[in-house]
Amino acid sequence: MRRDGYAILLVLGLVLTVSLAVALMAVRTAQEGEQSRLKAEQALAQVVLDGRQNEMLLLLAGSLREELRTALAGRSGGGRFAFGDGYNAPSQSSVVADLEPLRQDLQNRADALLCDRGFRLYFSRTACGVPLPPDIRLTAPAFLGGAPRTGGPATIQRYQLPFVAYVRGEQGEAVRERFLLGAFEFDLGAALPSRYALLLDNAYDWAGQLHFFDSQVVLEGRLHVAGLLGVRQNPWLAGAVTTGSCPSLGVDGTCVGTPTPGIAFYGQGFVNQAAMLPYPDRPCLGLDCPVWGEGVDLNLTGLRIGSLDLDRTGWVSNIRLPRPAQLVRIWPEGGRQHLDVCDSTNCSRYRISGSRLERYSAGGWVDVMELPSDRGVIRLRLEVDGNIERLSGGSFGLAVAEGVSVEIVARNDIRITSSLVHENPPCTFVGGRSGDQLVPSRCENLGATGRLALVSRRGDIWLGHGHTDPTLNLTDDSPRLHGHFLAPQGSIGTENLGGGGTRRGTAFVVGAVGMARWANWGSAYQGWNLSLTYDPRLVTRPAIPEEPILLDGVLGVYLRIDGEQKPR
């Protein structure tokens, strides 16, 4: 009996042990299942968070950017600065005070657009009624740069309006949150042609091919394309880039159809802004990834060089040739500016002596008139009613004397046949690319006062190329062209590409270029490469003081995303 009792106890003990083991295994299995479920929910919450972030980025690049553009209309003040008070620069406290109504307006607009969608955008410390966590940083609005608006041509000023964007991803019990630090930057002022290194209405050339800014390009100044912007590989666009994203331009240069914010990528075709994730602030697709410097705005409409009209600005010539010119030659000699103007039968020679215009006649110089000046710079203004068959400088391409502004306006085409160089250039070194590095230009001689402007009212400005008559061809393999070149109804580039001529070197342009339609400067077998360095003196001193304002107000709204900010 005793043995039977022991046996029963052993069996009961074994059953209890097995039951406990089964129970423990069940608990552990349940715990592991719960952990797996939580991990799966957390992973899904992360996926939801990333998707919500992309949705937020598109709203920032689209609707919210346009809300800021609308809110800025009419808000600029009338003092030396659009926002803030000061002489050379506004004080930070005055900028914050002046921008406070705008910041609150943007907060209200953002709340109305985002709160019902579960997003929050903080321009102030409270959004959608929810305070920003105290350990999340939100910086104050700021003035970033720009000259005062009084005392000269209206200038462009840039301001910054920081924000924190809150996004949340949920799945079951799992919650993921993210705070993105960023800012909107915006330019206010007057769009003068001289403010832009390159101002282009239609990027389609005369053959109907879209021009793509490629890896050869290093552009240190502002770029605006009224029509469609095309990029290929890695152009270095160090200045602000704006475009109207217009699908087609009419014969008068105005937009045909509805502008659609986007870019033509060489490897993808046209891509609208909504498809530019994950970098709507730095558009990049595949191998076509420009280096963006001061921001990109794909929805700046209403700005085009084709609206330039000097007749409405009061520009008046000192010398007028009422017919085409066979030759115009400009050069400095003996500290004086000289000018030859030749038609088909006669040549006239002029020079500037002090502030007087003199003409050579009968072996001597005859006084003609007192020349006007602009802030101490003597202005020599020539108008030609027709083409200029040959425009050249003097020895070594020297063209413009220090202290003189040479302004040449032709009704039709202008053909350049030599270098055109300032006697005292503003830039001592023209930069470029060295691998993945930008070598900046050195433009430190900003006290230089010589300047040149070439304007073709209705025609083109050509680098002479491909002619059997050698006097019609630009002589230099690597010409230097200093000045502001404008063809508001035509193109600027190399003549006769595809029709003859040989491969040359690089055309080094120091100044600015504005044209209605793109024209190529070279191909693999003909013409020149283009190196364009913006002359920073043009920011405050246009080559033509009567230069018209093409657009006034908001000249660009740029999105910047600086990354995630985590609570401490």
Side-chain angles (χ1 to χ4, degrees), residues 183-445:
F184 282 114
E185 296 179 0
F186 52 90
D187 290 332
L188 300 174
L192 300 176
S194 58
R195 300 281 186 261
Y196 294 81
L198 179 55
L199 192 56
L200 173 63
D201 284 356
N202 194 346
Y204 284 92
D205 63 22
W206 295 105
Q209 299 297 313
L210 180 66
H211 171 68
F212 288 88
F213 293 91
D214 60 20
S215 296
Q216 298 280 341
V217 173
V218 175
L219 197 60
E220 297 176 73
R222 302 174 70 88
L223 166 66
H224 177 75
V225 181
L228 187 60
L229 173 65
V231 296
R232 179 180 183 182
Q233 299 170 336
N234 310 115
W236 202 302
L237 305 174
V241 178
T242 54
T243 173
S245 296
C246 179
S248 178
L249 296 177
V251 292
D252 63 348
T254 58
C255 187
V256 177
T258 302
T260 302
I263 294 177
F265 292 89
Y266 184 79
Q268 303 280 339
F270 177 77
V271 178
N272 65 35
Q273 190 167 250
M276 292 183 185
L277 292 172
Y279 306 111
D281 55 329
R282 302 185 306 279
C284 169
L285 281 181
L287 298 177
D288 302 321
C289 288
V291 180
W292 304 105
E294 295 184 2
V296 54
D297 182 352
L298 305 179
N299 198 27
L300 181 64
T301 58
L303 173 58
R304 61 185 190 89
I305 186 65
S307 62
L308 186 149
D309 186 355
L310 280 179
D311 290 335
R312 296 183 180 181
T313 65
W315 186 88
V316 179
S317 60
N318 315 124
I319 305 170
R320 183 171 182 271
L321 182 66
R323 51 192 166 273
Q326 293 296 308
L327 171 68
V328 172
R329 181 169 175 257
I330 52 177
W331 76 100
E333 182 181 322
R336 294 185 175 97
Q337 180 68 47
H338 288 70
L339 169 71
D340 279 348
V341 181
C342 304
D343 61 17
S344 58
T345 57
N346 296 299
C347 287
S348 297
R349 176 162 293 186
Y350 300 88
R351 74 177 186 184
I352 297 175
S353 182
S355 60
R356 305 293 299 183
L357 177 64
E358 298 178 337
R359 180 177 179 178
Y360 191 77
S361 178
W365 292 98
V366 178
D367 183 73
V368 177
M369 67 171 69
E370 177 78 10
L371 291 173
S373 65
D374 172 51
R375 287 181 281 179
V377 177
I378 304 301
R379 300 181 62 192
L380 178 61
R381 296 170 293 181
L382 167 67
E383 183 166 14
V384 175
D385 192 7
N387 295 340
I388 298 178
E389 290 293 317
R390 302 165 183 82
L391 173 64
S392 68
S395 300
F396 308 107
L398 285 174
V400 180
E402 181 70 351
V404 175
S405 171
V406 178
E407 304 157 33
I408 299 175
V409 177
R411 178 177 296 275
N412 298 319
D413 295 352
I414 299 173
R415 180 182 293 110
I416 298 172
T417 57
S418 84
S419 290
L420 301 170
V421 181
H422 293 313
E423 187 178 46
N424 185 21
C427 301
T428 57
F429 173 77
V430 174
R433 297 182 77 140
S434 177
D436 291 333
Q437 299 296 317
L438 171 64
V439 181
S441 299
R442 289 197 297 271
C443 298
E444 301 165 348
N445 187 25

Side-chain angles (χ1 to χ4, degrees), residues 42-52:
Q42 290 170 354
L44 288 173
Q46 184 69 40
V47 172
V48 173
L49 177 65
D50 292 340
R52 295 283 281 169

